[in-house]
Amino acid sequence: MAGSVGVGRATPRSSPKRYAGTDPPLSLAGPTVADLQRTAELEKFLVEAGLYEGEEESAKREEVLSEIGQIVKEWVKQLTSKKGYAEQLVERANAVLFTFGSYRLGVHGPGADIDTLCVGPSYVNREEDFFVTLHGILAGKEEVTELQPVPDAHVPVLKFKFHGISIDLLYASLSLSVIPADFDISQGSVLSDVDEATVRSLNGCRVADQILRLVPNAENFRTTLRCLKYWAKRRGVYSNITGFLGGVNWALLVARVCQLYPNAVPSMLVSRFFRVFTQWQWPNPVMLCAIENDDLGFSIWDPRKNPRDRSHLMPIITPAYPCMNSSYNVSTSTLRVIMEQFQFGNKICQEIDLNKANWSALFEPFHFFEAYRKFLVVDIVAEDDDDLLLWKGWVESRLRQLTLKIERDTKGILQCHPYPCEYSDPAIECAHCAFYMGLSRKEGLQKRGQQFDIRGTVDEFMREIAMYSLWKPGMDLAVTHVRREQVPSYVFEQGYKKPCPMMHANQLEQSDGDGTLSPDLEGRLKRKCDFDGDGHEELCRPVKRASVSQPDEETLPHHGSSVSKVLCDSMVNLVSNGLCSGAQTTSLHDDVNFKQTPLTSSPHGSEDTSASGTMGAVVLADESSKLGNLTSDVEVDTVQAVAVHTPLECVAQKDEMKLEGIRSVASSNCAEFLERAVLAKNVHLSGDEVI
């Protein structure tokens, strides 16, 4: 009889349920009534926050994917015929479109882009067929806008909008003459006889599928991931390109927590997420499964064999072969910021569990411009919006290197917090944007008068930027140093600056103290000019580079020379005023030492060889000098910006303590301005200068 047990035979024991993951779950506990209520409140909050798209937009996405799929199929057929293959092969020629990223995982929101992968046959290559022929086809379609090829990226991609929906399109050429319509991308054989770029292109789809297989409850995973991605964006730690964590990183971290608490609901998973990762001992890796080592010969993440892997600070390993560290971009500075935000999330979740806070407290935005007193600003200017899209993408992809170089050259004492948001002045019509990096001294380090000259660091960064193969005239860049009170008002969410509360001593040390650039790192631009008979300054020698960041006139420091109002209505004067308005100067602290050094020339070179520039040193004051100026520090200002310019340098030198004047710039567009003029001024600094 079924289910009966025979005499003399041991009673069979039911085998325990197997769970995915490298380790068994930490808890199998299910939700309480309070957990279910908090989950309902969380889901309601996410809906009200607008994180779910409507049915109409979902249908539009499906239509767009269908149209793009048809375009790539026709593209492959045309190439098959053009390359002289038999008519039978032309009939069977095919390309298959896959999705990955947030869309594949089911956590995309309104306006999100769609990550797509086109898989084609072996005779259709990436270099010519994809980035030239398909690019030309897409460029000729009215529904395609903002078409941007990025062939030199770590994962080569075509970026564009199709009917207003952002698309990132990758391409993988497999060792097959025909791609079946029901092709299974998860099988290991797809990696046979392909190059590294193709492996990376395929990995996105393979990783997304593996994640969904390895989580115990896909719906709970999706809700939790949607919540944590929104939280990361609000707290300024969502950006792989600038050294934080991107979509796949957050997905892998959330998936690991789902494995550790397989029966938990989203409210529990969010709380456990912060509890786990505030205690995680980095660089111990986060893995959803054991690392697979196939015989295909591709390199996998293995710090025992690969010296480079040993330097990774926050390894989050992808589950599909070849297993890679998806978070290799994380630096010492960005890891510090991420961990600080994890601590914040853990604190708020503890309060939510005790009914002392609600979910809105968790998603309070991080007030970046209130957290630091000094910043590096990377201003980007181009001839038009299309050029800006290309130029900005290149510069943004290299910002992480600037952070790493500053960490390297200051031995980790000066820490950078690159903020993953771009800003543009609505009052300026030319194509421009700016990125900000908060500067702080490493906590606990106190060394009076220690200086770091990052002039060479920024110059090295500029040389790398200048290697851009698609550079065009009008593509310009400036790196400047500004204080909080010089930050323009338009970067703030409500368009105005909030009053900064008094910092406690230990908060001040955690902020930045004086561990930033010295006072004379400021942007002091001058050029030789002639004056007309009435004493007005006239245009003469062209200077190409200018900063776009424009400090708010109402919040300029109270000390030092004032800057006259620009007398030209041109938007270009607003651009140049951003450099000039930082030129107030007084003594900062007694321990600030000055000396003078020249700035190296731009890698692009220049016809105007009379120009030169300046860069200052990082001065670290001791704690006593900081605490003695807690109340006056906001009021006392120095010359705060240095512009490191390419391809033409600017002039900076000491002179009388006054502004010689401001010239009127009669220019109708930004590109013309950048070839013609910047504001001229003379600045006096007592003592020796550090430039």
Side-chain angles (χ1 to χ4, degrees):
M1 184 171 63
S4 62
V5 179
V7 177
R9 300 174 63 183
T11 303
R13 303 174 66 181
S14 59
S15 59
K17 182 178 180 180
R18 295 179 61 89
Y19 293 93
T22 55
D23 300 302
L26 292 178
S27 172
L28 298 177
T32 64
V33 174
D35 292 325
L36 293 174
Q37 181 179 351
R38 280 192 287 268
T39 295
E41 294 171 352
L42 175 61
E43 291 174 342
K44 179 183 178 182
F45 179 89
L46 298 179
V47 170
E48 292 177 349
L51 301 186
Y52 294 85
E53 70 178 5
E55 295 182 0
E56 183 177 346
E57 186 173 356
S58 295
K60 184 178 180 180
R61 287 181 184 273
E62 294 179 4
E63 293 175 3
V64 165
L65 289 173
S66 177
E67 290 187 47
I68 296 175
Q70 190 61 38
I71 289 172
V72 296
K73 289 178 181 179
E74 294 175 358
W75 163 63
V76 169
K77 285 186 179 294
Q78 291 175 9
L79 286 173
T80 306
S81 177
K82 184 178 179 180
K83 291 177 185 254
Y85 287 97
E87 187 64 29
Q88 184 179 2
L89 185 58
V90 173
E91 289 291 329
R92 299 174 58 202
N94 189 36
V96 179
L97 199 67
F98 294 91
T99 61
F100 61 100
S102 62
Y103 187 81
R104 174 69 183 93
L105 293 174
V107 295
H108 63 286
D113 62 356
I114 306 178
D115 296 311
T116 57
L117 168 69
C118 174
V119 175
S122 58
Y123 55 85
V124 176
N125 62 60
R126 181 185 299 107
E127 292 75 15
E128 293 293 330
D129 298 332
F130 182 72
F131 279 112
V132 177
T133 306
L134 182 59
H135 176 274
I137 293 173
L138 292 173
K141 293 187 175 295
E142 294 182 358
E143 55 266 43
V144 175
T145 58
E146 299 182 20
L147 182 59
Q148 177 189 4
V150 193
D152 297 327
H154 188 63
V155 181
V157 59
L158 269 177
K159 294 175 173 285
F160 57 94
K161 286 187 176 181
F162 198 97
H163 288 306
I165 294 180
S166 298
I167 303 292
D168 284 358
L169 180 61
L170 314 183
Y171 179 70
S173 175
L174 303 185
S175 57
L176 298 172
S177 58
V178 177
I179 306 298
D182 58 349
F183 184 71
D184 182 8
I185 202 171
S186 64
Q187 55 185 330
S189 60
V190 302
L191 301 178
S192 299
D193 301 324
V194 298
D195 59 18
E196 292 280 354
T198 300
V199 171
R200 291 192 292 269
S201 298
L202 291 166
N203 214 29
C205 297
R206 291 163 54 80
V207 166
D209 289 347
Q210 275 288 84
I211 290 174
L212 293 176
R213 291 193 193 100
L214 291 171
V215 294
N217 185 306
E219 284 307 311
N220 287 342
F221 163 75
R222 289 188 176 104
T223 301
T224 307
L225 178 56
R226 195 183 293 272
C227 169
L228 267 301
K229 287 180 63 177
Y230 180 57
W231 174 85
K233 292 175 182 178
R234 297 285 287 176
R235 302 302 297 177
V237 289
Y238 188 95
S239 174
N240 180 272
I241 196 171
T242 53
F244 294 106
L245 302 180
V248 66
N249 308 128
W250 291 105
L252 291 169
L253 292 181
V254 171
R256 185 66 186 117
V257 173
C258 289
Q259 291 179 338
L260 295 174
Y261 301 92
N263 299 321
V265 292
S267 64
M268 300 169 64
L269 291 170
V270 171
S271 178
R272 273 44 168 199
F273 177 93
F274 292 115
R275 184 185 304 175
V276 167
F277 289 115
T278 52
Q279 302 177 53
W280 196 271
Q281 299 300 308
W282 305 105
N284 287 329
V286 172
M287 300 186 296
L288 300 187
C289 58
I291 293 178
E292 178 185 356
N293 193 355
D294 210 324
D295 57 357
L296 295 176
F298 292 107
S299 176
I300 61 172
W301 187 82
D302 188 348
R304 297 169 302 178
K305 298 180 180 179
N306 305 323
R308 177 184 293 182
D309 295 344
R310 298 171 199 159
S311 65
H312 293 169
L313 302 177
M314 193 182 189
I316 302 172
I317 311 305
T318 57
Y321 177 82
C323 299
M324 306 174 184
N325 177 21
S326 63
S327 54
Y328 63 89
N329 276 356
V330 174
S331 68
T332 302
S333 292
T334 54
L335 176 59
R336 171 187 62 86
V337 174
I338 293 169
M339 294 305 296
E340 288 174 355
Q341 294 307 317
F342 282 170
Q343 294 285 354
F344 167 83
N346 189 46
K347 176 178 178 294
I348 298 299
C349 282
Q350 289 176 352
E351 295 176 355
I352 292 174
D353 290 341
L354 296 173
N355 295 321
K356 295 182 178 180
N358 52 33
W359 287 111
S360 61
L362 181 64
F363 300 97
E364 279 293 316
F366 176 65
H367 299 297
F368 173 73
F369 293 102
E370 297 175 25
Y372 297 92
R373 292 188 299 166
K374 300 177 184 178
F375 306 87
L376 281 183
V377 188
V378 179
D379 285 312
I380 304 167
V381 188
E383 181 77 20
D384 52 42
D385 290 339
D386 291 337
D387 285 356
L388 180 65
L389 192 65
L390 296 171
W391 183 229
K392 177 187 68 177
W394 168 252
V395 175
E396 186 180 13
S397 71
R398 310 306 300 171
L399 286 180
R400 183 180 68 94
Q401 295 300 321
L402 179 57
T403 301
L404 294 174
K405 293 178 191 303
I406 292 176
E407 289 178 356
R408 176 199 67 194
D409 293 347
T410 64
K411 296 180 173 58
I413 297 177
L414 183 63
Q415 297 179 321
C416 294
H417 178 176
Y419 200 55
C421 294
E422 64 179 78
Y423 299 91
S424 60
D425 189 346
I428 299 177
E429 296 180 3
C430 73
H432 73 281
C433 68
F435 292 95
Y436 285 76
M437 303 174 71
L439 299 176
S440 66
R441 184 185 60 177
K442 187 174 182 179
E443 183 179 354
L445 293 180
Q446 302 178 15
K447 195 169 183 180
R448 180 180 178 85
Q450 185 173 2
Q451 298 184 5
F452 292 97
D453 185 353
I454 66 168
R455 177 172 46 90
T457 307
V458 176
D459 191 46
E460 180 184 349
F461 169 72
M462 286 297 198
R463 286 197 298 271
E464 292 185 0
I465 294 295
M467 296 171 62
Y468 184 47
S469 59
L470 300 178
W471 185 88
K472 298 179 182 179
M475 291 181 174
D476 289 291
L477 182 71
V479 176
T480 61
H481 174 223
V482 300
R483 295 173 65 91
R484 179 196 292 153
E485 53 266 36
Q486 293 173 301
V487 173
S489 60
Y490 62 80
V491 306
F492 294 89
E493 190 171 348
Q494 302 300 327
Y496 61 87
K497 300 181 181 181
K498 298 179 180 179
C500 299
M502 177 77 70
M503 284 188 175
H504 188 270
N506 60 2
Q507 289 178 316
L508 181 61
E509 181 176 342
Q510 292 179 10
S511 172
D512 71 1
D514 293 314
T516 54
L517 303 179
S518 65
D520 51 317
L521 179 73
E522 325 304 340
R524 306 187 304 277
L525 301 185
K526 178 184 177 181
R527 44 170 223 167
K528 299 178 181 178
C529 298
D530 296 325
F531 291 81
D532 60 20
D534 296 327
H536 299 295
E537 202 168 350
E538 296 180 345
L539 295 177
C540 49
R541 191 182 301 278
V543 179
K544 293 184 179 179
R545 296 294 180 190
S547 170
V548 179
S549 296
Q550 176 189 356
D552 184 14
E553 291 184 1
E554 296 181 358
T555 56
L556 287 176
H558 302 293
H559 297 276
S561 303
S562 62
V563 180
S564 302
K565 177 177 173 59
V566 179
L567 302 177
C568 181
D569 292 333
S570 170
M571 63 178 176
V572 176
N573 278 31
L574 298 176
V575 177
S576 54
N577 186 38
L579 285 178
C580 187
S581 57
Q584 291 83 32
T585 175
T586 61
S587 174
L588 178 63
H589 291 302
D590 291 336
D591 62 341
V592 177
N593 301 317
F594 301 100
K595 63 182 180 179
Q596 186 168 5
T597 47
L599 176 69
T600 56
S601 61
S602 163
H604 279 300
S606 169
E607 295 177 0
D608 185 359
T609 58
S610 67
S612 62
T614 64
M615 175 52 100
V618 178
V619 178
L620 301 181
D622 66 1
E623 195 66 24
S624 61
S625 67
K626 286 191 306 179
L627 299 180
N629 291 275
L630 283 178
T631 57
S632 63
D633 183 69
V634 174
E635 297 178 356
V636 178
D637 188 26
T638 61
V639 186
Q640 283 301 332
V642 61
V644 181
H645 300 284
T646 62
L648 190 64
E649 305 158 343
C650 59
V651 173
Q653 66 182 42
K654 63 179 181 179
D655 205 339
E656 298 299 325
M657 189 175 179
K658 62 182 178 179
L659 296 178
E660 296 290 355
I662 298 179
R663 59 184 169 277
S664 174
V665 181
S667 172
S668 60
N669 63 73
C670 186
E672 181 181 355
F673 161 72
L674 291 172
E675 296 295 325
R676 296 181 57 192
V678 294
L679 291 175
K681 55 184 173 288
N682 297 328
V683 179
H684 171 75
L685 289 174
S686 61
D688 297 326
E689 293 183 277
V690 179
I691 58 176

